[in-house]
Amino acid sequence: MDLMLQRRASRQRYTLAEESSGERPRPLYFKVPSKGKPTKQKQPLASEPNRPLSASFTSASHLEPLRPAARPKAALRNRDGGYAIHAQNMSSHVQIVATPTADTAGAGLLLHFDHRRYHFGTLAQGTQRAISQRGHSLAKLDKIFIAGEVNWETTGGMLGMMLTVADGLAAVAQDVKNSNEARRKEGKREIATPNKTFEIFGGKNTAHTVATARNFIFRTGMPIKAVDLTLDPRAAPPPQPDAARLFKARLGGRHHLGDGLFETKLADVQMPAKIFIRENGHIKKYNGPTPSTRDAVVPDITVLVRKPWPSALVTDLPPTTMSDTSLCYIVKNRGRRGKLNPKVAIELGVAKPDFKRLTAGETVKAMDGKDVTPDMVLEAPMKGQGFAVLAIPSLEHVSGFLERPEWQSDELLDNVQIFYWIFGKGVFDDPSIQDFIKSKPHVRHLVMGADISPNMITYESYAALFTKLHRLDPARFPVLQFDNTFRDIPKVDGLTVEIGRTGMKAHMLPNFKINDAEIVPFPLLNEAEQIDAQVIALAEEARQKVAEPSFTDLVEQDEKDIPNRDALIVPLGTGSAAPSKYRNVSSTLIRVPGVGSYLLDAGENTIGQLRRAFPAEEYEAIMKELRFIFISHMHAAAFLRAAALLRGRGGDEGGGEGEGQGGAEAVEKKRKK
């Protein structure tokens, strides 16, 4: 099966090599411009004007083909530089892995093949943890296609996910290295080290976003390619090189410098740097005077320092501007030839060794010398199934979306079975969008958005543990904020419009089939009822003891010299480099009454943790009184959320904030009973 991701032009020229279907490839993406007020142009972070383009970022006039997932017998060659993800003899399905909630501000889908995964939709903060909660492995994630605009709301989880995938590949490479050492001793053939390039596709500034994190995001074990899909699929002829402005941040291959140690004189070391020396055949850290030590005599010795990362040599990025163009995708399986009818082939005098050639699309000679063509012995071809990811972030994008020519193409929309809608606030209620949905009654419409999707708890494993702790100590572990109520969806006869739920699955190969059996149910948070009665009794006994005057007086005396002893410390994340089912990455809130709030580190999805921990009004108060963010160390797990916190104290991400918290109130009432 070939999943075609194809640029469309007014003139298309294709060369088919043993094509397994007579169908033409389908367009993948199209751009929806905003028809509203012009966006105020801002200079992106880490970008300075009038700087030359570094050699690490090259310009191209077309989109490069993606690396095949498997070598197919039949390949499509597109002369105007299109995209194709190739796979063969595989089952595939697409599944919703995240919907807009306080935990995950965006919506995401995973397209599954036997050995690879592709992510479509937004990649908001919290998405990586949501995928982990659902039990999906990131080790097979091959490519990411970002829908909607390219901004912090849609790409906030991208950098963290890239780091996790890179670390996973590094672990696999180390395991292969260790295994090969043992295999060499046994005289066995070595295992090939995985060679993978992580590819990300999105609208304008996708590559720029990756490049701003170049000092910590790149890894020797995982080259990265980020591609801006800036060309209009209708453009013809293909634009000149300067028109595309496609910046690709690539590290790897023969041009990759690596980060190994090299020898130099100590006096020539550019500080700051970690310096090593060889001693008795071993490499150890150098602790003597360095060129940065004031009034120190630097010994004339040879030392070892690391080669700089190639990304470190890029001091400035090319200037860019903000973009409000939203990207949508139409994804279709490539149709397959029908099965060969052996009975008919034998009746026509075809030798059995020629069956394979007929299946491959060749004409063969029968025993009587007559030509037998594939259409004479093959059953009807199977049409490709497909789905669309349609992101409309604001009302200003609606008219541009409706004017797209794709909606007039019956050939393109043929067998597109599902529309996955990702709406900005208020867009779903626009009358023109409602009319458009009604005009497509043959399609299953799954709608998602901050004002549509229920603010259900995404990380139910963590919530279950937290609920047990709440039963034991409700003062220190308050009820998590959530709301499982649905909004009303207009009912139209013959039309299927549903709110997209995490776990909804659609099988694409070998046959299209809807499977809602894996929809994630709303967490009931009744795990507290499973706690042993003896444990509850011990917790109650402890609460009574700490409430006794003799104990409180002792605490008062012991803490009398502590300033602001009424300060509140709230751990928001106690995990390490990557989030897990039970722990988010590093962040701690300190609230000092009458003074303000402080954050110690601001790892990914810190705002999501705050929205779960506090009611909407209290969350807003915390953001308004936030005074400082302290970053403990320069690792992504400690500071990735700082950008959004600084930009308007968290912006307007996520779903469920400010609305009724009926679910949380119900749990609290149940606890009191």
Side-chain angles (χ1 to χ4, degrees):
M1 167 243 170
D2 288 330
L3 172 65
M4 302 312 304
L5 285 71
Q6 176 62 51
R7 279 199 309 116
R8 191 183 189 194
S10 60
R11 293 184 180 180
Q12 295 179 334
R13 301 183 302 274
Y14 304 99
T15 300
L16 302 182
E18 300 180 355
E19 187 185 9
S20 61
S21 168
E23 295 190 358
R24 300 172 71 182
R26 306 306 191 197
L28 164 69
Y29 72 93
F30 58 89
K31 302 187 294 181
V32 180
S34 170
K35 293 299 183 67
K37 298 179 180 179
T39 303
K40 182 179 180 181
Q41 302 298 331
K42 300 179 181 178
Q43 196 66 22
L45 185 67
S47 174
E48 297 185 13
N50 303 321
R51 294 287 185 177
L53 184 65
S54 166
S56 296
F57 303 90
T58 59
S59 178
S61 61
H62 64 279
L63 307 178
E64 296 182 352
L66 302 183
R67 180 170 53 85
R71 184 179 297 277
K73 294 180 180 179
L76 179 74
R77 299 171 184 170
N78 179 8
R79 293 180 180 176
D80 64 355
Y83 280 92
I85 298 178
H86 299 285
Q88 187 178 17
N89 298 327
M90 291 184 177
S91 62
S92 70
H93 66 267
V94 60
Q95 188 170 28
I96 299 176
V97 293
T99 60
T101 67
D103 298 314
T104 51
L109 316 169
L110 273 185
L111 178 59
H112 292 242
F113 290 92
D114 292 345
H115 303 293
R116 295 188 188 278
R117 308 285 185 268
Y118 303 93
H119 185 278
F120 287 87
T122 59
L123 201 59
Q125 297 215 26
T127 303
Q128 178 185 172
R129 191 179 179 191
I131 292 175
S132 175
Q133 176 67 58
R134 302 275 66 81
H136 302 299
S137 173
L138 291 177
K140 295 182 179 180
L141 185 62
D142 194 66
K143 296 172 179 65
I144 291 175
F145 298 89
I146 298 172
E149 298 175 312
V150 175
N151 51 39
W152 194 251
E153 285 74 16
T154 58
T155 63
M158 178 177 66
L159 300 179
M161 185 175 290
M162 292 165 64
L163 289 172
T164 299
V165 173
D167 291 342
L169 289 175
V172 171
Q174 185 61 45
D175 290 342
V176 171
K177 180 180 178 181
N178 296 338
S179 178
N180 282 338
E181 290 178 358
R183 295 175 72 89
R184 279 194 296 269
K185 294 178 181 179
E186 298 173 2
K188 296 181 179 179
R189 184 178 179 181
E190 294 186 12
I191 303 171
T193 302
N195 182 18
K196 180 176 180 178
T197 298
F198 194 73
E199 296 175 288
I200 302 169
F201 301 85
K204 179 183 176 182
N205 290 328
T206 299
H208 193 95
T209 302
V210 175
T212 57
R214 60 193 179 279
N215 287 332
F216 69 89
I217 203 69
F218 295 122
R219 295 288 188 271
T220 54
M222 189 185 74
I224 296 169
K225 182 169 74 173
V227 180
D228 289 4
L229 300 177
T230 56
L231 297 177
D232 192 316
R234 299 169 294 176
Q240 297 301 312
D242 291 339
R245 298 191 69 233
L246 173 61
F247 298 111
K248 298 176 293 180
R250 298 194 64 179
L251 290 177
R254 60 182 180 179
H255 300 297
H256 187 61
L257 299 178
D259 63 343
L261 298 174
F262 71 98
E263 293 184 345
T264 185
K265 288 293 184 179
L266 177 58
D268 296 331
V269 174
Q270 294 185 359
M271 301 299 292
K274 287 187 177 181
I275 305 174
F276 302 87
I277 58 173
R278 282 195 177 94
E279 189 174 280
N280 299 325
H282 298 281
I283 295 177
K284 59 181 294 186
K285 186 178 179 180
Y286 171 73
N287 295 314
T290 65
S292 63
T293 306
R294 180 177 297 180
D295 300 328
V297 178
V298 179
D300 183 19
I301 60 174
T302 299
V303 297
L304 299 169
V305 295
R306 293 191 182 278
K307 291 181 180 179
W309 284 93
S311 57
L313 303 178
V314 182
T315 57
D316 303 303
L317 299 181
T320 188
T321 55
M322 302 292 288
S323 173
D324 59 3
T325 296
S326 181
L327 212 61
C328 302
Y329 298 90
I330 296 175
V331 186
K332 294 190 73 174
N333 297 338
R334 183 176 168 190
R336 297 191 296 179
R337 293 186 184 278
K339 295 181 180 179
L340 183 138
N341 189 325
K343 183 178 179 180
V344 174
I346 292 173
E347 291 176 353
L348 292 174
V350 178
K352 288 187 177 180
D354 288 335
F355 284 7
K356 185 176 181 180
R357 295 175 58 194
L358 283 168
T359 304
E362 298 181 25
T363 298
V364 301
K365 293 288 185 181
M367 295 179 182
D368 58 4
K370 294 182 179 180
D371 288 340
V372 178
T373 60
D375 60 289
M376 298 169 64
V377 296
L378 296 181
E379 296 176 357
M382 298 175 60
K383 291 185 177 182
Q385 309 286 348
F387 63 92
V389 182
L390 309 177
I392 309 180
S394 72
L395 291 170
E396 296 172 350
H397 291 82
V398 171
S399 60
F401 171 83
L402 297 175
E403 292 170 3
R404 292 298 308 182
E406 285 80 4
W407 309 130
Q408 310 305 320
S409 173
D410 294 336
E411 179 187 7
L412 171 61
L413 297 179
D414 183 34
N415 267 19
V416 174
Q417 305 284 356
I418 303 179
F419 283 3
Y420 294 97
W421 296 89
I422 305 175
F423 288 122
K425 290 186 177 180
V427 178
F428 177 58
D429 295 314
D430 185 270
S432 57
I433 289 294
Q434 296 283 335
D435 291 340
F436 178 87
I437 291 176
K438 293 176 183 178
S439 71
K440 301 289 185 289
H442 62 286
V443 176
R444 188 187 195 195
H445 299 270
L446 299 181
V447 298
M448 295 169 281
D451 58 346
I452 300 173
S453 303
N455 185 24
M456 66 178 289
I457 290 176
T458 305
Y459 315 130
E460 63 267 23
S461 297
Y462 146 78
L465 176 60
F466 198 91
T467 302
K468 292 181 179 180
L469 295 173
H470 170 74
R471 177 77 182 276
L472 299 177
D473 192 346
R476 287 180 174 82
F477 299 94
V479 175
L480 297 175
Q481 305 299 308
F482 66 96
D483 188 354
N484 293 338
T485 57
F486 282 98
R487 63 157 289 172
D488 292 332
I489 297 294
K491 301 293 183 181
V492 180
D493 292 340
L495 192 65
T496 303
V497 182
E498 304 173 61
I499 293 178
R501 294 280 304 278
T502 301
M504 282 183 169
K505 179 189 291 187
H507 295 271
M508 294 293 167
L509 279 178
N511 298 303
F512 181 81
K513 182 177 66 174
I514 296 294
N515 179 7
D516 288 341
E518 297 184 23
I519 292 178
V520 178
F522 292 123
L524 299 177
L525 299 184
N526 57 0
E527 288 79 8
E529 300 174 3
Q530 304 169 9
I531 300 177
D532 187 270
Q534 186 177 1
V535 175
I536 296 176
L538 289 172
E540 180 60 31
E541 181 181 349
R543 277 197 297 272
Q544 293 177 3
K545 284 187 176 181
V546 299
E548 293 176 358
S550 58
F551 183 84
T552 56
D553 292 344
L554 183 62
V555 173
E556 184 81 21
Q557 179 66 25
D558 191 52
E559 297 180 352
K560 64 180 181 180
D561 58 342
I562 298 178
N564 302 107
R565 56 186 299 267
D566 56 347
L568 181 68
I569 301 175
V570 183
L572 299 173
T574 57
S576 185
S580 64
K581 289 172 63 174
Y582 293 97
R583 295 176 183 269
N584 202 52
V585 291
S586 178
S587 185
T588 301
L589 171 69
I590 300 178
R591 299 189 70 186
V592 183
V595 179
S597 297
Y598 305 82
L599 275 176
L600 309 182
D601 288 335
E604 180 179 332
N605 209 28
T606 293
I607 286 182
Q609 294 291 93
L610 285 169
R611 284 177 168 159
R612 279 288 179 234
F614 298 98
E617 299 80 7
E618 195 169 356
Y619 162 77
E620 294 295 338
I622 292 172
M623 290 294 100
K624 289 179 180 178
E625 67 185 22
L626 185 62
R627 300 190 61 186
F628 293 102
I629 301 175
F630 295 93
I631 306 300
S632 62
H633 60 291
M634 294 310 295
H635 188 280
F639 66 79
L640 267 184
R641 197 54 187 154
L645 287 165
L646 294 173
R647 185 184 57 81
R649 300 288 176 84
D652 190 27
E653 293 184 39
E657 71 274 15
E659 304 296 334
Q661 305 295 336
E665 293 173 0
V667 171
E668 178 63 12
K669 290 179 180 178
K670 188 174 183 180
R671 185 194 69 80
K672 291 180 178 179
K673 288 181 180 179

